[in-house]
Amino acid sequence: MTSAQPPLQNLPAAPDNVIDGGGQPRMGRYAGQTGAIDWSQLSAPFSRSKVWRRFHHKRWQYVALSTPELLCGIAIVDVGWTNTAFAYVFDRRQGKQIASFSQDGIPGLSATVSHRPGGASSFRFFGSRIDYLPPAAGAAADGKYRLSLQCDQFSIDAEFAAEGTAPLLLAVGPIVNGSVHATQKSPGMPLTGEVHVDGQRFDLQGGVASFDYSNGLLARNTEWRWASAHGLDIGFNLQAGYFGNQENVLWLDGQLHALGHVRFEYDMNAPMAPWHIYTDDGLLDLQFMPEGARRENKNMLIAATRYIQPIGSFSGWVKPNRQAAPRPVEHLVGVTEEHFSRW
């Protein structure tokens, strides 16, 4: 955070370690970046055997890139005993996905997701690659995040910087299997770069980037509903499911505000119809208008995923507190998601 930003008023500073000296998770929502996450440090009642952690430890790095023309989603996922990655390019003007990549990796070889939220992550599968390099892991000291992707159908080269933006969110909390989870999420950050799809070039200049790093000891069956959208002065992250309201926050004018439980009202049989999304504390009320969606259904016998991520825009209002006047939200680009995993 730079000296030009207003002081934080709503969330305490993130600890260097999400586990305290007694082996207990530091439950709560914080502003700022934490250090490496090592769940082997946990004490009772959260401690688990090394074998149990091997099959329940899940980590992923997700990045969203948005412009008035495109929305790109990129993810690297390590579920312990295997790994996967996906990426897509959604053309908002055509209302359809124009490029995609989805690949299960070779266990222990294809994917690297850092134990540190500020670390590098990568995916390799024969000629395809994804590289995510935060500033702390880079050779250049320019404060920029870098994302590059190369596969048969398309490529992405993007840079974005957190300097001068609102603080990161760190959320640490219990989950439904009696264990713990942590996530580090960013506000919107200024974006530059380019996307190439089948010989066509798209400029990312003037767009907005955001990321989601998650690391936890998740249940065999995990499900959630999620919404995320970001501009440079306003953004939000909302989740209902395995993590309660732990990661529900609003970024507004350089500050980070905690939100209550969120309700997702939509037709599960018609997810392309409008969604109504609101929080029980009266600080957010939005309509989401889908423009298209990425879908994936996998059944690998011992594992399965059912997933739909509609892409579109949010309109409505938000407030930093009950006494504040509603702040209009108009056509803010983002995604919602319905997700079930057996992993």
Side-chain angles (χ1 to χ4, degrees), residues 79-212:
V79 299
W81 52 274
T82 190
N83 56 73
T84 189
F86 72 79
Y88 65 84
V89 180
F90 182 84
D91 188 323
R92 299 188 63 216
R93 295 175 181 175
Q94 296 186 58
K96 67 178 184 179
Q97 183 174 281
I98 59 172
S100 66
F101 169 78
S102 180
Q103 180 63 58
D104 295 323
I106 301 170
L109 294 176
S110 295
T112 300
V113 179
S114 177
H115 288 278
R116 181 182 299 273
S121 296
S122 65
F123 183 84
R124 297 284 188 279
F125 193 85
F126 294 98
S128 299
R129 63 168 180 83
I130 303 172
D131 290 296
Y132 169 79
L133 192 65
D142 57 5
K144 291 185 177 180
Y145 295 80
R146 289 176 169 82
L147 176 77
S148 64
L149 175 149
Q150 183 69 54
C151 61
D152 289 341
Q153 192 180 10
F154 67 108
S155 66
I156 299 173
D157 287 289
E159 294 185 349
F160 40 98
E163 184 178 358
T165 66
L168 303 177
L169 164 71
L170 170 67
V172 184
I175 53 178
V176 294
N177 65 346
S179 193
V180 291
H181 181 70
T183 187
Q184 186 96 75
K185 300 184 191 296
S186 80
M189 296 175 283
L191 171 65
T192 61
E194 57 188 25
V195 177
H196 290 264
V197 180
D198 293 332
Q200 186 176 6
R201 178 184 179 274
F202 298 90
D203 191 356
L204 297 176
Q205 178 73 37
V208 178
S210 61
F211 69 76
D212 170 348

Side-chain angles (χ1 to χ4, degrees), residues 45 57 70 81 96 104 132 135 139 141 194 220 241 261 272 314 317:
H57 189 191
L70 296 181
W81 52 274
K96 67 178 184 179
D104 295 323
Y132 169 79
E194 57 188 25
R220 168 73 166 146
H261 289 276
M272 292 299 98
F314 296 84
W317 54 264

